[in-house]
Amino acid sequence: MIERTNLLIGGEWEEPATGDTFEVRSPHDQEVVAVVPKAAPADADLALERARTALGGPWATTSPKERAELIRQLSAALQGRSQEIAATVTAEMGSPAKFALFGQVFAATSVLDGYAEVLESFSFEETRNGIISPVLVQKVPVGVAAGIVPWNVPLVISSFKLGAALAAGATIVLKPSPEAPVSSFLLADALIELGLPPGVVSILPGDADLGRHLVSHPFVDKVSFTGSSAAGRIVGATCGELLKRCTLELGGKSAGIILDDADLTTTVPQLLDAGLQNNGQVCAAQTRILVPRSRHAEIVDAMADHIRSLVVGDPSAPDTDVGPLVAGRQRDRVEGYIAAGLDEGARLVVGGRRPSGLDAGHYVEPTLFDDVDNRSRIAREEIFGPVLSVIPYADDDEAVALANDSDFGLSGSVWTTDTDRGVAVAGRIRTGTCAVSSGIVVDPKSPFGGFKASGIGREMGPEGLAAFLETRTVVLPPG
């Protein structure tokens, strides 16, 4: 069992303001895997005070080149801990080991490396011809940022926010979730080694109350939130009232469109992985599978066969494909949606139950529904579990219409042997990301974010860096 007693506050290990802790239990067998401190508002106040002070200290004079080198050093430090971090994330939230190393660790270090690369070409200053005299347009740090991180891919989403803040020259307080706080201490260990100036980074595992405290705190200039659309609306409303800058990366109900010429031998395993990876607990998961009526039965049979071949069980086992859900409440939520799907008339093809022999964990079988009405709850609401819905369509126009008939717009994919046709269809999908014949729906060097209820703003790439910058104009003397 892992025990931690101190919090990373302004780059230093500090004793927490209270003795409150989080007891983290394995979603596989309910054994206690860690006890870590629970940050209080007083800890946040100290962290934010140090963060604001750091904006006028040595951190303010660092060059983009220096910050890029620090980010690369952090990436290297995390890569050196890759096995330990992967095992920790598996233990705390149930991510299968075969996914954790690349999906939880190397995805995060790739994001950091991407920010370092962006810094090499990003222009922080340019001179323009004004109407009377030249003007200097500058990109300057947004100030103090609060980064609120969910439990599903904790290190990856921490890197979205931390990498952007470090690249911009801002300071940041990260708040990991109560369900997966343990890996954040390994991130803190790596940050300590960097020797950052005091105050630049704090990591405070906390609950929703601490999140609300951070969002409304007068020292916070920028909020970067990843979580549900319901919580994002509250965060956005608070930021709007207080005129804080915010980035909101929220839920999804992404459609994977299989065109009538798709090669099922490559499409089915990749698309189902894009829907079921991390036990279906991915915001960009392809959970609505749109299939041509001309190949409907063939595709459903192929998907059912593939799902039946998946190994469900202990996430630490190397051959496990689908592990447990993060918590009992999440399993109850998923089972509620399965019941709703049956009530609404969808046909259960495979799964839908708790697997035998895994009674101690929060397990639900990977589940496939067919003949799903796009207006039903299982087609419209984010389930965040291993549940996929097949929706048949007649032609490309109907497929596009169904894909776009959603409150969300985060991700999507189009599967075809004709790339030009796939790109044409993808260009009609109103989502922040759409892949063509690829299960990779998040690129670490490219902007990620959503349309509609999937959020506001973008993370990663130069767009993610720009979200942590303010633009100002200096008017120079005439001549």
PDB file of all heavy atoms in Angstrom, residues 451-464:
ATOM      1  N   PHE A 451     -17.080  20.719 -30.110  1.00  0.00           N
ATOM      2  CA  PHE A 451     -18.177  21.600 -30.480  1.00  0.00           C
ATOM      3  C   PHE A 451     -19.317  21.370 -29.468  1.00  0.00           C
ATOM      4  O   PHE A 451     -19.324  20.427 -28.705  1.00  0.00           O
ATOM      5  CB  PHE A 451     -18.722  21.255 -31.868  1.00  0.00           C
ATOM      6  CG  PHE A 451     -17.800  21.554 -33.023  1.00  0.00           C
ATOM      7  CD1 PHE A 451     -16.446  21.807 -32.849  1.00  0.00           C
ATOM      8  CD2 PHE A 451     -18.290  21.570 -34.311  1.00  0.00           C
ATOM      9  CE1 PHE A 451     -15.610  22.070 -33.916  1.00  0.00           C
ATOM     10  CE2 PHE A 451     -17.472  21.834 -35.409  1.00  0.00           C
ATOM     11  CZ  PHE A 451     -16.125  22.088 -35.205  1.00  0.00           C
ATOM     12  N   LYS A 452     -20.280  22.263 -29.473  1.00  0.00           N
ATOM     13  CA  LYS A 452     -21.540  22.096 -28.736  1.00  0.00           C
ATOM     14  C   LYS A 452     -21.283  21.774 -27.257  1.00  0.00           C
ATOM     15  O   LYS A 452     -20.431  22.422 -26.624  1.00  0.00           O
ATOM     16  CB  LYS A 452     -22.403  21.038 -29.433  1.00  0.00           C
ATOM     17  CG  LYS A 452     -22.770  21.423 -30.863  1.00  0.00           C
ATOM     18  CD  LYS A 452     -23.683  20.408 -31.537  1.00  0.00           C
ATOM     19  CE  LYS A 452     -22.968  19.210 -32.077  1.00  0.00           C
ATOM     20  NZ  LYS A 452     -23.829  18.329 -32.884  1.00  0.00           N
ATOM     21  N   ALA A 453     -21.983  20.808 -26.703  1.00  0.00           N
ATOM     22  CA  ALA A 453     -21.867  20.514 -25.272  1.00  0.00           C
ATOM     23  C   ALA A 453     -20.568  19.808 -24.911  1.00  0.00           C
ATOM     24  O   ALA A 453     -20.344  19.473 -23.745  1.00  0.00           O
ATOM     25  CB  ALA A 453     -23.056  19.668 -24.811  1.00  0.00           C
ATOM     26  N   SER A 454     -19.700  19.570 -25.890  1.00  0.00           N
ATOM     27  CA  SER A 454     -18.410  18.941 -25.607  1.00  0.00           C
ATOM     28  C   SER A 454     -17.362  19.946 -25.154  1.00  0.00           C
ATOM     29  O   SER A 454     -16.233  19.550 -24.871  1.00  0.00           O
ATOM     30  CB  SER A 454     -17.903  18.174 -26.837  1.00  0.00           C
ATOM     31  OG  SER A 454     -18.678  17.011 -27.042  1.00  0.00           O
ATOM     32  N   GLY A 455     -17.719  21.216 -25.086  1.00  0.00           N
ATOM     33  CA  GLY A 455     -16.793  22.136 -24.457  1.00  0.00           C
ATOM     34  C   GLY A 455     -16.502  23.402 -25.217  1.00  0.00           C
ATOM     35  O   GLY A 455     -17.094  23.692 -26.264  1.00  0.00           O
ATOM     36  N   ILE A 456     -15.558  24.160 -24.666  1.00  0.00           N
ATOM     37  CA  ILE A 456     -15.126  25.444 -25.212  1.00  0.00           C
ATOM     38  C   ILE A 456     -13.608  25.485 -25.168  1.00  0.00           C
ATOM     39  O   ILE A 456     -12.999  25.201 -24.134  1.00  0.00           O
ATOM     40  CB  ILE A 456     -15.696  26.616 -24.393  1.00  0.00           C
ATOM     41  CG1 ILE A 456     -17.225  26.632 -24.463  1.00  0.00           C
ATOM     42  CG2 ILE A 456     -15.133  27.950 -24.863  1.00  0.00           C
ATOM     43  CD1 ILE A 456     -17.871  27.637 -23.541  1.00  0.00           C
ATOM     44  N   GLY A 457     -12.988  25.854 -26.295  1.00  0.00           N
ATOM     45  CA  GLY A 457     -11.541  25.994 -26.325  1.00  0.00           C
ATOM     46  C   GLY A 457     -10.847  24.722 -26.772  1.00  0.00           C
ATOM     47  O   GLY A 457     -11.485  23.689 -27.041  1.00  0.00           O
ATOM     48  N   ARG A 458      -9.535  24.797 -26.869  1.00  0.00           N
ATOM     49  CA  ARG A 458      -8.725  23.677 -27.338  1.00  0.00           C
ATOM     50  C   ARG A 458      -7.506  23.486 -26.435  1.00  0.00           C
ATOM     51  O   ARG A 458      -7.000  24.437 -25.834  1.00  0.00           O
ATOM     52  CB  ARG A 458      -8.244  23.917 -28.776  1.00  0.00           C
ATOM     53  CG  ARG A 458      -9.383  23.983 -29.808  1.00  0.00           C
ATOM     54  CD  ARG A 458     -10.072  22.637 -29.943  1.00  0.00           C
ATOM     55  NE  ARG A 458     -11.153  22.651 -30.930  1.00  0.00           N
ATOM     56  CZ  ARG A 458     -12.428  22.873 -30.643  1.00  0.00           C
ATOM     57  NH1 ARG A 458     -12.795  23.144 -29.386  1.00  0.00           N
ATOM     58  NH2 ARG A 458     -13.352  22.826 -31.590  1.00  0.00           N
ATOM     59  N   GLU A 459      -7.064  22.233 -26.355  1.00  0.00           N
ATOM     60  CA  GLU A 459      -5.846  21.892 -25.634  1.00  0.00           C
ATOM     61  C   GLU A 459      -4.880  21.221 -26.603  1.00  0.00           C
ATOM     62  O   GLU A 459      -5.291  20.594 -27.572  1.00  0.00           O
ATOM     63  CB  GLU A 459      -6.164  20.969 -24.458  1.00  0.00           C
ATOM     64  CG  GLU A 459      -7.080  21.641 -23.435  1.00  0.00           C
ATOM     65  CD  GLU A 459      -7.344  20.764 -22.216  1.00  0.00           C
ATOM     66  OE1 GLU A 459      -8.091  19.781 -22.344  1.00  0.00           O
ATOM     67  OE2 GLU A 459      -6.817  21.091 -21.138  1.00  0.00           O
ATOM     68  N   MET A 460      -3.603  21.370 -26.343  1.00  0.00           N
ATOM     69  CA  MET A 460      -2.496  20.837 -27.146  1.00  0.00           C
ATOM     70  C   MET A 460      -2.267  21.663 -28.400  1.00  0.00           C
ATOM     71  O   MET A 460      -3.133  22.425 -28.828  1.00  0.00           O
ATOM     72  CB  MET A 460      -2.687  19.362 -27.489  1.00  0.00           C
ATOM     73  CG  MET A 460      -2.770  18.464 -26.273  1.00  0.00           C
ATOM     74  SD  MET A 460      -2.796  16.696 -26.689  1.00  0.00           S
ATOM     75  CE  MET A 460      -4.367  16.536 -27.512  1.00  0.00           C
ATOM     76  N   GLY A 461      -1.075  21.483 -28.971  1.00  0.00           N
ATOM     77  CA  GLY A 461      -0.701  22.245 -30.150  1.00  0.00           C
ATOM     78  C   GLY A 461      -0.549  23.725 -29.818  1.00  0.00           C
ATOM     79  O   GLY A 461      -0.690  24.142 -28.663  1.00  0.00           O
ATOM     80  N   PRO A 462      -0.263  24.557 -30.812  1.00  0.00           N
ATOM     81  CA  PRO A 462      -0.153  25.997 -30.560  1.00  0.00           C
ATOM     82  C   PRO A 462      -1.453  26.589 -30.037  1.00  0.00           C
ATOM     83  O   PRO A 462      -1.435  27.570 -29.291  1.00  0.00           O
ATOM     84  CB  PRO A 462       0.219  26.572 -31.931  1.00  0.00           C
ATOM     85  CG  PRO A 462      -0.092  25.507 -32.928  1.00  0.00           C
ATOM     86  CD  PRO A 462       0.032  24.212 -32.221  1.00  0.00           C
ATOM     87  N   GLU A 463      -2.596  25.991 -30.400  1.00  0.00           N
ATOM     88  CA  GLU A 463      -3.872  26.479 -29.892  1.00  0.00           C
ATOM     89  C   GLU A 463      -3.982  26.269 -28.381  1.00  0.00           C
ATOM     90  O   GLU A 463      -4.515  27.128 -27.664  1.00  0.00           O
ATOM     91  CB  GLU A 463      -5.024  25.775 -30.595  1.00  0.00           C
ATOM     92  CG  GLU A 463      -5.116  26.068 -32.086  1.00  0.00           C
ATOM     93  CD  GLU A 463      -4.174  25.236 -32.953  1.00  0.00           C
ATOM     94  OE1 GLU A 463      -3.446  24.368 -32.413  1.00  0.00           O
ATOM     95  OE2 GLU A 463      -4.163  25.450 -34.175  1.00  0.00           O
ATOM     96  N   GLY A 464      -3.471  25.130 -27.893  1.00  0.00           N
ATOM     97  CA  GLY A 464      -3.483  24.881 -26.454  1.00  0.00           C
ATOM     98  C   GLY A 464      -2.575  25.829 -25.701  1.00  0.00           C
ATOM     99  O   GLY A 464      -2.894  26.270 -24.594  1.00  0.00           O
TER     100      GLY A 464
END
